Amino acid sequence: EDQVTQSPEALRLQEGESSSLNCSYTVSGLRGLFWYRQDPGKGPEFLFTLYSAGEEKEKERLKATLTKKESFLHITAPKPEDSATYLCAVRSGYGNKLVFGAGTILRVKS
Amino acid sequence: NAGVTQTPKFQVLKTGQSMTLQCAQDMNHEYMSWYRQDPGMGLRLIHYSVGAGITDQGEVPNGYNVSRSTTEDFPLRLLSAAPSQTSVYFCASSYSRSGRTGEQYFGPGTRLTVT
C-alpha cells in the first residue's frame, strides 16, 4: 500500500528563520511527487512536481528536493505570508490516483 | 476562467438524508476527482473520472455515488448521510496527459455536517 508521511505535524518559525519540511514516501513505481499549499478555508494550491531523485524546483522562498525515499520543502527566510498547511502527495503505478500526506502546518511569526 | 467551482459551500444534513454536491470546471480538463479532508488524515480520494462516461472508485468510496455525463460536471451524491460523512469535500480537476495528472486544480470546498 502506498503511503506518505509528513513531518513535523506543525512548525513555528520566526520571520527569517529558515527550515525544512519532510515528506517520506513508500510507493511502487513513483510517477511524480507533488507539493501543495493550503490556506485556511480554501482548497489546496499546486506548488511543485518532482519526478526523479536529485531533481530540485524553486519558487520564491521555497525549494523542493527529491531523493529515492523522501522529499524536502526548504523554506528560506520565511515571511508571515508563508504561513499555511503544506501537503505532499505521490502518484504511483499506472493509475491517476494521488495519495496525500496529512500535511505540515507552518506558522511564521513576525 | 472560473476554474473549479463547488456548491454549496456549507450544508447541514440529518442522518439518512441524501444530497448532491455539485462540481464544475471550465478548463476542459479530462480528469476530475472528489476528496474528503478530515483533521489529521489529509485528503482521501473518494471517486475519480478520466473522462465523460468513465468513473472509478478511490480509497473511500462507500456511501457515495458519482457520474460524469459531461466534461465539465462531476457531481457527488451522498445516498444516505451518516455522521461519519461529516467532513470537508474538495473537487479537483486536471489534464490526463502523461505527467500532468498530479497538477490538480482544487475547488473551494464544501463543509458538510451530518447530525
Side-chain angles (χ1 to χ4, degrees):
Chain A
E1 182 179 334
D2 301 333
Q3 285 190 325
V4 176
T5 303
Q6 293 188 244
S7 62
E9 291 184 11
L11 181 63
R12 290 192 173 197
L13 299 174
Q14 288 295 124
E15 185 172 2
E17 180 187 2
S18 301
S19 188
S20 296
L21 313 182
N22 177 265
C23 171
S24 299
Y25 63 89
T26 304
V27 66
S28 53
L30 181 67
R31 293 179 67 215
L33 183 139
F34 309 90
W35 283 98
Y36 285 81
R37 169 190 170 127
Q38 185 176 23
D39 293 304
K42 296 189 177 182
E45 178 183 352
F46 171 76
L47 290 174
F48 302 112
T49 306
L50 301 165
Y51 288 106
S52 56
E55 189 175 359
E56 298 182 353
K57 293 279 181 69
E58 286 190 64
K59 181 179 181 179
E60 295 181 355
R61 295 175 291 282
L62 301 177
K63 183 168 81 172
T65 62
L66 182 65
T67 73
K68 288 187 177 180
K69 293 185 177 181
E70 57 192 349
S71 176
F72 293 94
L73 185 65
H74 306 278
I75 303 175
T76 303
K79 297 182 178 181
E81 53 261 42
D82 294 322
S83 297
T85 297
Y86 290 87
L87 301 170
C88 173
V90 296
R91 181 163 66 97
S92 66
Y94 297 99
N96 291 326
K97 302 175 185 180
L98 289 186
V99 176
F100 279 86
T104 294
I105 302 170
L106 174 66
R107 291 289 178 261
V108 182
K109 299 182 74 173
S110 58
Chain B
N1 285 352
V4 179
T5 58
Q6 291 183 238
T7 57
K9 288 189 175 182
F10 301 95
Q11 183 70 49
V12 179
L13 291 178
K14 294 185 177 179
T15 298
Q17 287 184 317
S18 63
M19 77 160 295
T20 300
L21 306 185
Q22 300 292 344
C23 173
Q25 53 92 9
D26 61 358
M27 297 172 282
N28 203 31
H29 286 163
E30 304 94 342
Y31 183 82
M32 295 186 74
S33 54
W34 277 101
Y35 295 88
R36 61 177 289 172
Q37 187 173 39
D38 302 293
M41 300 191 71
L43 288 154
R44 291 183 292 168
L45 183 64
I46 304 171
H47 286 286
Y48 67 98
S49 169
V50 298
I54 306 170
T55 63
D56 205 348
Q57 296 182 351
E59 180 184 355
V60 288
N62 292 341
Y64 308 95
N65 272 357
V66 292
S67 60
R68 184 97 178 267
S69 57
T70 68
T71 300
E72 295 78 19
D73 300 300
F74 190 45
L76 177 72
R77 284 183 287 277
L78 279 69
L79 309 173
S80 178
S84 61
Q85 294 179 305
T86 294
S87 187
V88 181
Y89 291 84
F90 289 101
C91 179
S93 72
S94 70
Y95 294 104
S96 285
R97 291 190 296 272
S98 176
R100 298 197 65 181
T101 304
E103 299 176 21
Q104 298 193 14
Y105 294 80
F106 283 81
T110 294
R111 186 173 294 273
L112 175 67
T113 302
V114 183
T115 61

